[in-house]
Amino acid sequence: MSTRETAAVLIVSESDDLHAAAMEVTLREQHAIVPLRLDLRDFPREPGSFRLDEAGVERSLAGLDGLDGVRSVWWRRPHPSSVPSGVRADDNAYRQAECDGFVQGLLWSLGAQWVNDPGNDRIAHRKIVQLDTARRAGCAVPETLVTNDPDAARDFIEHRGDRVVFKRTGTSRAEFSETRLVGAADLDRLTGIRWAPTIFQRYIDPECDLRVVWVDGQEWAVRIDSRSGAGRVDSRLDTSVDFAPALLPAAVSKSLATLMGTLGLSFGVLDLRVGLDGEYYFLEVNPQGQFAYLEIKTGLPIFTSLANLLTHGDGSVSGW
């Protein structure tokens, strides 16, 4: 094996994340690598240190040694460090800021390949950034309004000849939030968006949906027959329909490559919708999206592709 293939891999995620567990198995079986696993919630309950002297630097965090040998990091689903609450809110904020500053500085100073770079990952999570970048990259994007102004939202909805969907502007680990069509009852609740800016978007009646796992230029596209199931509005709501490997038109692939390059992402899960007009519409990209079910349903070697990227910097898979 090359130096890259024998280099240590660090996975930063929740301790119970099934994707991280599956990647650990893939790395062990296909590359003879036992990756380091880190859940940032273990700090500061478990100690960490950064030491710099004439001999160089030495890092440890939450009981993990060997961080200085890490050459590749999967920034999968990082939590903030878990700081116990005290009596004063100001003290809590101070301790949280100090712990976050320490953890982020220690990890982000690693001279490693990042999947994804934490700064790029954070910016790319912002859906307005995604939508505008996709537009500039040549992707078709449904007409969209993101606002906390109830009057602007009502005007957008009432003056559209087509139906309109609404969805979250931000992301969090809160309860799953589906994309929904605006109904009469929703119009009566528009004043609530003053405190929660919302995305309103022209509804695209689907021929099908596509979920594309992007691994540093390698596209793993899956066609989802959402038109035939309960997921016609949101394809995530029905996994009982047909899933099949797909190929993207060259022009669409080129636009996605421009989009991901501009966002600085080497990994992401993109949602596209093919309209009845034959257009491929960009909906969003999740830099930490779920994809295990796509491999289970189609047999596409997505975990192998990502493991190859983490170990030797190339997400291609022989024979595919």
Side-chain angles (χ1 to χ4, degrees):
M1 292 186 179
S2 69
T3 301
R4 167 61 74 181
E5 292 172 324
T6 59
V9 176
L10 171 64
I11 300 173
V12 184
S13 187
E14 303 158 329
S15 58
D16 57 353
D17 179 35
L18 297 180
H19 283 71
M23 179 55 67
E24 186 173 0
V25 172
T26 303
L27 289 168
R28 186 171 61 248
E29 293 182 350
Q30 298 185 10
H31 296 279
I33 290 175
V34 178
L36 300 174
R37 290 280 301 273
L38 176 62
D39 188 331
L40 297 183
R41 293 173 296 183
D42 292 336
F43 181 81
R45 177 176 52 83
E46 296 289 341
S49 296
F50 173 83
R51 181 183 179 89
L52 183 152
D53 57 25
E54 292 180 355
V57 299
E58 184 176 348
R59 300 170 178 86
S60 65
L61 183 61
L64 282 182
D65 295 317
L67 289 173
D68 298 301
V70 166
R71 293 295 175 267
S72 186
V73 183
W74 187 19
W75 191 246
R76 162 66 188 157
R77 290 177 65 85
H79 271 277
S81 53
S82 182
V83 180
S85 295
V87 176
R88 297 178 66 245
D90 286 348
D91 291 343
N92 294 338
Y94 174 83
R95 288 193 292 265
Q96 187 68 57
E98 293 304 288
C99 286
D100 290 345
F102 170 78
V103 167
Q104 293 167 6
L106 185 147
L107 291 176
W108 297 354
S109 64
L110 289 170
Q113 171 189 225
W114 287 84
V115 182
N116 290 298
D117 175 274
N120 295 342
D121 187 282
R122 183 175 184 178
I123 293 171
H125 263 98
R126 303 308 178 204
K127 293 182 181 179
I128 293 175
V129 173
Q130 298 179 14
L131 292 168
D132 189 50
T133 305
R135 177 190 63 83
R136 289 185 283 110
C139 299
V141 180
E143 185 180 354
T144 302
L145 172 70
V146 188
T147 187
N148 76 327
D149 183 341
D151 293 334
R154 187 179 299 276
D155 182 73
F156 181 84
I157 295 165
E158 291 180 348
H159 287 82
R160 284 231 43 84
D162 304 299
R163 290 175 288 177
V164 171
V165 297
F166 66 98
K167 50 190 173 182
R168 292 189 61 183
T169 302
T171 58
S172 72
R173 289 179 170 84
E175 182 178 350
F176 171 76
S177 178
E178 65 183 270
T179 299
R180 293 172 49 195
L181 284 165
V182 175
D186 299 310
L187 292 174
D188 296 333
R189 295 195 292 265
L190 279 178
T191 55
I193 71 170
R194 178 70 69 190
W195 316 111
T198 300
I199 297 174
F200 298 92
Q201 199 166 62
R202 178 170 68 89
Y203 173 67
I204 304 299
D205 202 6
E207 174 64 32
C208 67
D209 281 286
L210 292 166
R211 198 158 171 88
V212 182
V213 184
W214 177 275
V215 184
D216 200 33
Q218 177 70 57
E219 299 169 348
W220 303 104
V222 176
R223 183 187 190 278
I224 304 171
D225 189 18
S226 50
R227 187 172 182 80
S228 66
R232 191 182 181 105
V233 175
D234 189 332
S235 66
R236 299 170 297 175
L237 298 178
D238 188 357
T239 59
S240 68
V241 298
D242 289 339
F243 284 62
L247 294 175
L248 300 178
V252 175
S253 293
K254 181 179 179 180
S255 293
L256 294 187
T258 302
L259 166 67
M260 297 299 280
T262 304
L263 292 175
L265 298 178
S266 55
F267 174 85
V269 181
L270 300 110
D271 288 318
L272 309 179
R273 169 158 288 194
V274 182
L276 296 180
D277 58 1
E279 185 67 84
Y280 286 67
Y281 292 94
F282 170 85
L283 300 180
E284 65 178 75
V285 55
N286 187 339
Q288 299 166 10
Q290 310 282 40
F291 61 89
Y293 72 105
L294 301 175
E295 178 160 331
I296 292 170
K297 285 182 169 293
T298 64
L300 290 172
I302 303 173
F303 276 101
T304 294
S305 178
L306 183 54
N308 288 348
L309 176 62
L310 290 169
T311 53
H312 54 80
D314 183 357
S316 61
V317 179
S318 178
W320 289 81

